[in-house]
Amino acid sequence: MRIAATAEEMRELGRELAGLLRPGDLAVLSGPLGAGKTTLVQGIADGLKVRGPITSPTFVIARVHPSLSGGPALVHVDAYRLGGDLEVDDLDLDASLEESVTVVEWGEGLVEGLAEDRLEISIERGETGEERAVRLRGVGARWEGVV
């Protein structure tokens, strides 16, 4: 577990995570509204050196941020408004999964079937101010010994 005391510390954690992520990786973010999911993705995007700005894709559902440095693109998805597996299938995320880093906010229980290996990131509000508790859980052989 990591503690991020400020939004900037959450972005810094995202930049650190970007150093672990590679094309084909799926990260699933969970946490309540205002927990800092998009803030973490901003840090991941900065670390991956992709075109921004990174904002919550709630109303467009998914955005592709191309690399500015020859690395993988970032596919940023907000599954909050999705009603189930069929709507996830309609996004056709598996088409870009192999060459991109895909990060799905609110994806718990919806997108795990996209990849055998995934990084699950749970964010919870702390007891005071901006503090957040971030838990990482790697699923599958890809993440053995990584997190």
Side-chain angles (χ1 to χ4, degrees), residues 25-127:
D25 283 345
L26 171 65
V28 182
L29 279 64
S30 63
L33 281 171
K37 295 179 294 294
T38 301
T39 302
L40 182 69
V41 178
Q42 290 169 345
I44 291 171
D46 187 41
L48 291 175
K49 296 178 178 34
V50 298
R51 187 170 63 214
I54 306 302
T55 58
S56 179
T58 299
F59 296 103
V60 295
I61 303 192
R63 284 194 179 102
V64 177
H65 298 275
S67 176
L68 298 172
S69 65
L74 171 65
V75 178
H76 182 201
V77 181
D78 187 327
Y80 184 74
R81 297 188 182 281
L82 298 181
D85 293 343
L86 290 176
E87 290 184 20
V88 171
D89 286 345
D90 287 345
L91 291 176
D92 207 20
L93 293 174
D94 49 351
S96 62
L97 195 63
E98 288 185 24
E99 66 267 2
S100 303
V101 169
T102 303
V103 179
V104 184
E105 297 185 33
W106 301 98
E108 189 174 33
L110 289 172
V111 299
E112 290 86 352
L114 291 174
E116 288 183 26
D117 302 316
R118 65 187 172 277
L119 179 61
E120 296 176 349
I121 304 169
S122 171
I123 305 170
E124 296 186 20
R125 294 175 193 221
E127 295 180 20

